[in-house]
Amino acid sequence: MNLVVVSNRVARGKANEPMTGGLAAALLPVVENSGAIWVGSSGRVRDGSQKEPFAEIEALGAGALAMLDLPAAHYGGYYEGFANSALWPALHSRADLIRASNGDYLSYREVNAFMARALLRFRKPDTAYWVQDYHFLALGAELRKLGVTQPLGFFLHTPWAGRTIIEGVPNHRELIESMLAYDLIGFQTRDDWENFVSYIESNLGLVAQDGVITSHFGRTHVAVFPIGIDPEKFAQQAAKAVAHPDVSRLRRSLDGEKLAIGVDRLDYSKGLINRINAFDRMWTVQPTLARTVSLLQIATPSRGAIEAYGNLQSELARLVSDVNGRHGEVDWTPIRYLNKGFSQTVLAGLYRTAQVGVVTPLQDGMNLVAKEYVAAQNPADPGVLVLSKFAGAANELDTALLVNPHDIDGMARTIATALTMPLIERRMRWEAMMDKLRSSTIHRWFADFVDSLQATRIDDAPAQLPESDLAAEWSLRSVNLSARHH
Ligand code: F6P
């Protein structure tokens, strides 16, 4: 099978580059090994006058990475507009933050249609397309409109909210109906699956029989595939990374003090305000903990052009400075707050340095930081994960200290408990979590989804499509590129 993976954000194969997206960083090693073609946005836009979508193509492992310039006239309405100001807040149960115009929806559909046209270039008779995330809910339907009959899979990295919240998204019915063009739709958790099925049954009047929905598009299988990491590889990276200059400088600066760490995109779904409030509460209620532990909070700015994100950045900066002003000393800063991204290598070393990992989103599809924090620990002296029960990861990492991120007192108490947890309990909890990570790796996730996608079509005759000239041209270029690469 010739796999084409599609996502808005893609990652280039450079281990030392800072990475913003959980999805892009997670997919990189598996896509690299699989020989798939990975198609996404270049991050640049181009006006609509060109006939063919413009893609920069480079070798990626055994496959290739194609980065497309998206249409300038529709990019804002698609990315900042419909994807991140309507779908993102709705999927994370923040109906109060939904903002979208009909124009944004039309731009979103235009970009999905544009991507579909661009994907024809990579079509071969045995191609299967695997689309990632909420940016491309309608891409499957656009591909079908163009006559694509090959298997189409879709995986949602975010949560899927309850149907009354989804109903707050403009054009939700048309959009979700279009999702049924996919042969397979994957979710992170059973809750997301149930919310989706409930929408389909109540709003579209269709039935999901044993996870299969029948509509005018045919059959759509819906299933749960919790995404994982490569825990062994991450552990090795973490053990090596302690020698990295950034990590050793951090260690020297601690001087016996304990460290808690939080690493997030600067996003309202991550519960950053509540987390800072919990640390504030802890130092207020237990002043003896001042100077014995500080928080390193990395909050990488993202989607800055959207008002809700700009407001959060200002609010967070004010809050951190207020907490530091009240609890700090001439030689002690309670919260080290950084607005920049770090490479996976450095992050692995920072996680290993911290005695407590705080991952407290209000809602999260999975949250791979939680899994990476666990994998990065020293087995002889592991740190403690404080994890929101509203992160998808809590389903598997149930021996973390689970918290309700809305309960500031409860979080403050739990962080203090984590700081004093005896080694024997830390090891027991950590070993149980590592077992889970080992049994549900990113490699397994990738293989399970691709196998299930193939299985959805097992009875269908293979599509007999002529190879397009562009596909042939791409093959030639890819051979040349691969030859240069190795
Ligand atoms: O599923 C959500 C997601 O795709 C994550 O993988 C990633 O953290 C984030 O969204 C990327 O957002 P953006 O590309 O807008 O920075």
Side-chain angles (χ1 to χ4, degrees):
M1 187 185 63
N2 173 35
L3 185 66
V4 175
V5 176
V6 189
S7 62
N8 178 68
R9 193 180 279 279
V10 295
R12 290 175 132 156
K14 294 180 186 125
N16 290 325
E17 265 180 19
M19 298 220 193
T20 331
L23 174 164
L27 284 182
L28 179 60
V30 272
V31 176
E32 216 168 12
N33 281 338
S34 70
I37 301 168
W38 189 2
V39 185
S41 156
S42 64
R44 289 183 300 270
V45 294
R46 188 171 275 255
D47 72 35
S49 57
Q50 85 277 11
K51 277 210 189 118
E52 280 300 321
F54 178 83
E56 190 185 330
I57 299 174
E58 59 187 47
L60 180 67
L65 177 64
M67 290 162 288
L68 292 180
D69 291 358
L70 296 183
H74 295 294
Y75 186 77
Y78 149 75
Y79 180 75
E80 272 104 18
F82 198 76
N84 286 313
S85 298
L87 288 174
W88 179 272
L91 293 167
H92 291 84
S93 301
R94 289 296 306 269
D96 59 313
L97 293 176
I98 296 175
R99 311 267 181 279
S101 63
N102 198 43
D104 288 347
Y105 177 66
L106 293 177
S107 288
Y108 178 88
R109 294 298 305 236
E110 283 292 337
V111 171
N112 274 243
F114 174 90
M115 180 58 91
R117 289 195 296 279
L119 289 178
L120 289 185
R121 189 172 172 179
F122 306 108
R123 181 168 63 156
K124 292 185 178 174
D126 64 342
T127 293
Y129 294 94
W130 184 6
V131 178
Q132 314 285 325
D133 236 355
Y134 61 100
H135 307 87
F136 294 119
L137 297 181
L139 180 52
E142 297 297 343
L143 284 165
R144 293 284 184 239
K145 269 191 215 161
L146 296 174
V148 170
T149 54
Q150 284 103 331
L152 301 180
F154 174 83
F155 184 78
L156 184 71
H157 291 256
T158 69
W160 185 276
R163 63 185 193 82
T164 52
I165 295 174
I166 297 294
E167 283 169 7
V169 175
N171 306 91
H172 57 92
R173 191 187 160 91
E174 178 182 283
L175 185 62
I176 296 169
E177 257 178 346
S178 78
M179 288 176 72
L180 299 175
Y182 290 110
D183 296 294
L184 174 63
I185 299 180
F187 294 97
Q188 299 274 26
T189 69
R190 182 78 195 173
D191 284 346
D192 303 326
W193 184 98
E194 278 170 8
N195 284 338
F196 181 76
V197 166
S198 150
Y199 180 97
I200 294 293
E201 295 191 335
S202 305
N203 295 58
L204 303 186
L206 300 171
V207 180
Q209 186 70 46
D210 300 326
V212 181
I213 302 163
T214 306
S215 71
H216 65 277
F217 282 111
R219 285 150 62 86
T220 300
H221 298 248
V222 277
V224 177
F225 301 88
I227 195 169
I229 62 167
D230 184 334
E232 307 301 350
K233 194 168 151 212
F234 205 82
Q236 283 165 14
Q237 218 176 345
K240 274 201 217 131
V242 290
H244 189 283
D246 281 351
V247 181
S248 22
R249 275 207 313 281
L250 170 68
R251 292 192 162 212
R252 278 200 302 277
S253 76
L254 288 169
D255 194 22
E257 183 191 346
K258 287 189 174 168
L259 183 72
I261 190 167
V263 177
D264 306 81
R265 258 184 334 99
L266 209 160
D267 192 289
Y268 47 78
S269 64
K270 303 292 181 186
L272 292 162
I273 299 282
N274 295 23
R275 186 182 307 165
I276 303 295
N277 282 332
F279 275 86
D280 181 15
R281 190 70 51 87
M282 180 184 79
W283 287 311
T284 305
V285 175
Q286 302 194 50
T288 51
L289 288 177
R291 304 191 75 109
T292 67
V293 57
S294 59
L295 168 66
L296 170 60
Q297 177 61 58
I298 295 171
T300 317
S302 147
R303 309 173 191 171
I306 300 173
E307 196 187 354
Y309 287 80
N311 292 345
L312 174 65
Q313 186 157 11
S314 318
E315 189 183 350
L316 208 46
R318 267 199 309 276
L319 181 63
V320 168
S321 124
D322 170 51
V323 173
N324 279 344
R326 279 186 291 105
H327 296 288
E329 300 286 349
V330 284
D331 57 347
W332 181 60
T333 305
I335 301 173
R336 305 171 185 209
Y337 178 58
L338 307 179
N339 284 148
K340 58 179 180 177
F342 288 87
S343 67
Q344 288 285 98
T345 311
V346 173
L347 287 176
L350 301 181
Y351 294 143
R352 196 175 174 99
T353 304
Q355 286 76 17
V356 179
V358 273
V359 181
T360 56
L362 306 179
Q363 282 292 329
D364 218 332
M366 176 54 66
N367 199 304
L368 294 179
V369 168
K371 294 191 169 181
E372 290 171 354
Y373 176 78
V374 171
Q377 296 310 299
N378 175 357
D381 187 16
V384 179
L385 176 64
V386 174
L387 177 62
S388 163
K389 53 167 114 167
F390 304 125
N395 288 312
E396 295 156 273
L397 304 182
D398 52 0
T399 56
L401 292 182
L402 296 182
V403 291
N404 168 5
H406 301 285
D407 173 8
I408 306 298
D409 285 321
M411 271 204 288
R413 280 195 303 273
T414 305
I415 296 163
T417 303
L419 285 164
T420 53
M421 188 181 283
L423 177 62
I424 185 154
E425 184 177 351
R426 282 191 274 130
R427 285 180 68 164
M428 263 167 51
R429 288 176 180 273
W430 177 81
E431 274 158 20
M433 289 193 279
M434 273 308 271
D435 285 347
K436 298 271 177 70
L437 296 188
R438 288 190 191 106
S439 65
S440 171
T441 64
I442 182 82
H443 305 288
R444 174 121 186 239
W445 172 81
F446 194 85
D448 281 355
F449 191 96
V450 172
D451 289 351
S452 304
L453 181 58
Q454 272 178 314
T456 62
R457 291 302 199 80
I458 227 87
D459 300 330
D460 293 358
Q464 294 302 316
L465 293 165
E467 198 170 304
S468 74
D469 289 353
L470 282 163
E473 177 203 317
W474 181 84
S475 304
L476 277 175
R477 287 184 68 183
S478 95
V479 169
N480 291 339
L481 283 163
S482 310
R484 218 174 34 225
H485 183 68
H486 292 298

